[in-house]
Amino acid sequence: MICFCAERFHWRRLWQNPGELLLPGLQDMATRALLYRRPAEPATLLVRHGSQFFAIRLRRHRRARRYTLRIHPTDREAILTMPPRGTLVEAKEFAQLHGGWIAARLGRLPKAAPFQPGTVVPLRGVPHRLVHRAGERGTVWTETRDSGDKILCVAGGIEHMDRRVHDFLKREARKDLQKAAQYYAGELGVRVRRITIRDQSSRWGSCTSAGALSFSWRLILAPPFVLDYLAAHEVAHLVEMNHSPRFWRVVDKVCSSVTRAKNWLDTNGNDLHRYGIED
């Protein structure tokens, strides 16, 4: 059935002030969601600084109180977080105002180190040069040359090299982190229910009260005492779900390399994000 209305219906007025024109029966949540729905927003904004142009990724967050900018170290882009009621005009003005900061931070990112022949990759903090072994069986393995140099050998087609190295490093990270986490869980009398390996850019690890731990696979690139500290840190959250003095006492009780590892991450942590990415 099609119904017609003799009078003009004020859609603009309804969109701007939905409360005053809602009809009986239109109070349901779906109708309200439709009326309050925002027009589609672009995924990025283009900002100019000097002769350079930067694509800024937009992210609206319901708990944001202000506009913020951060640099994603692996995607090598700037991300602008907007508050719920923020506008595109304000977002672009904010990004343009901080164009110099964006250019400087992106310019200071360490050079990308893609997983291709000749790239030197730290495995547990020890440099290994990637070598392609097309005619050999297997996937990825380590060797030591007569000179003492460490190499990481990758079999198969060159087009699969990046994926195979990523997979190898993630497996090694999971193995080391599971061993370390289970050790500290036993020391603290808690239970780790699940360990997830991801490529997290904003944190090295996380923990839920249910016993689920998550870590960045890039920790396998750092020296073992760094990975060991991060495992102790996240397991300690199963005792204290905060960063109170009591929490740090728990970490210090089971891990002797807290200060050393934190200092290493402060100095070298950003460098770990350059491996396995393209410029």
Side-chain angles (χ1 to χ4, degrees):
M1 179 177 68
I2 302 177
C3 297
F4 296 92
C5 180
E7 297 183 3
R8 182 182 179 185
F9 196 81
H10 299 283
W11 285 105
R12 181 179 296 275
R13 182 181 169 196
L14 177 62
W15 182 80
Q16 293 175 338
N17 301 286
E20 70 179 59
L21 288 176
L22 281 177
L23 301 175
L26 294 183
Q27 301 282 352
D28 58 278
M29 187 177 297
T31 302
R32 287 182 174 274
L34 177 63
L35 294 175
Y36 282 103
R37 186 174 59 185
R38 293 178 179 272
E41 291 182 343
T44 59
L45 286 176
L46 196 63
V47 170
R48 179 177 181 175
H49 178 72
S51 60
Q52 296 177 293
F53 288 89
F54 302 100
I56 313 300
R57 178 151 50 107
L58 294 177
R59 174 177 175 264
R60 192 181 290 276
H61 197 286
R62 63 184 179 85
R63 292 195 293 180
R65 295 291 180 264
R66 54 193 172 86
Y67 295 90
T68 58
L69 276 166
R70 70 179 180 90
I71 302 299
H72 195 291
T74 50
D75 291 344
R76 303 200 155 216
E77 63 179 355
I79 301 175
L80 194 159
T81 300
M82 303 169 60
R85 295 181 180 273
T87 68
L88 293 177
V89 172
E90 292 175 343
K92 187 160 188 177
E93 289 177 350
F94 181 83
Q96 192 67 61
L97 181 65
H98 294 84
W101 181 88
I102 295 170
R105 290 294 300 272
L106 289 174
R108 288 203 301 266
L109 287 176
K111 184 179 179 181
F115 292 150
Q116 60 187 25
T119 297
V120 176
V121 177
L123 175 61
R124 299 182 178 90
V126 179
H128 286 67
R129 186 173 299 277
L130 294 182
V131 176
H132 184 221
R133 296 279 181 84
E136 297 192 28
R137 296 172 63 86
T139 52
V140 181
W141 66 95
T142 61
E143 288 184 6
T144 302
R145 287 175 167 163
D146 293 339
S147 61
D149 293 339
K150 305 288 186 179
I151 60 175
L152 198 59
C153 306
V154 186
I158 190 70
E159 68 275 13
H160 303 305
M161 188 167 187
D162 177 83
R163 175 181 58 79
R164 288 192 167 190
V165 174
H166 267 102
D167 290 346
F168 170 79
L169 293 174
K170 290 176 183 178
R171 287 195 301 271
E172 293 298 297
R174 178 180 293 279
K175 181 176 66 176
D176 286 12
L177 285 163
Q178 282 182 331
K179 181 179 178 180
Q182 293 300 335
Y183 169 77
Y184 287 116
E187 290 290 298
L188 294 174
V190 294
R191 181 181 178 186
V192 174
R193 296 184 180 277
R194 186 174 71 254
I195 292 180
T196 303
I197 304 300
R198 298 175 178 169
D199 192 4
Q200 305 171 134
S201 63
S202 59
R203 59 178 66 183
W204 297 110
S206 61
C207 172
T208 72
S209 57
L213 308 185
S214 180
F215 296 96
S216 169
W217 65 263
R218 295 177 183 275
L219 290 173
I220 197 63
L221 305 175
F225 69 86
V226 176
L227 180 146
D228 194 65
Y229 156 67
L230 263 300
H233 183 115
E234 299 308 330
V235 172
H237 277 308
L238 297 178
V239 179
E240 289 287 328
M241 287 295 292
N242 51 56
H243 286 102
S244 64
R246 177 178 169 82
F247 164 80
W248 289 110
R249 287 195 294 270
V250 173
V251 180
D252 288 331
K253 176 183 176 182
V254 294
C255 181
S256 61
S257 57
V258 175
T259 301
R260 182 186 178 199
K262 290 170 70 175
N263 289 339
W264 191 96
L265 286 170
D266 288 342
T267 304
N268 306 288
N270 195 47
D271 191 62
L272 300 184
H273 291 287
R274 72 188 184 97
Y275 293 99
I277 64 172
E278 303 282 345
D279 262 330

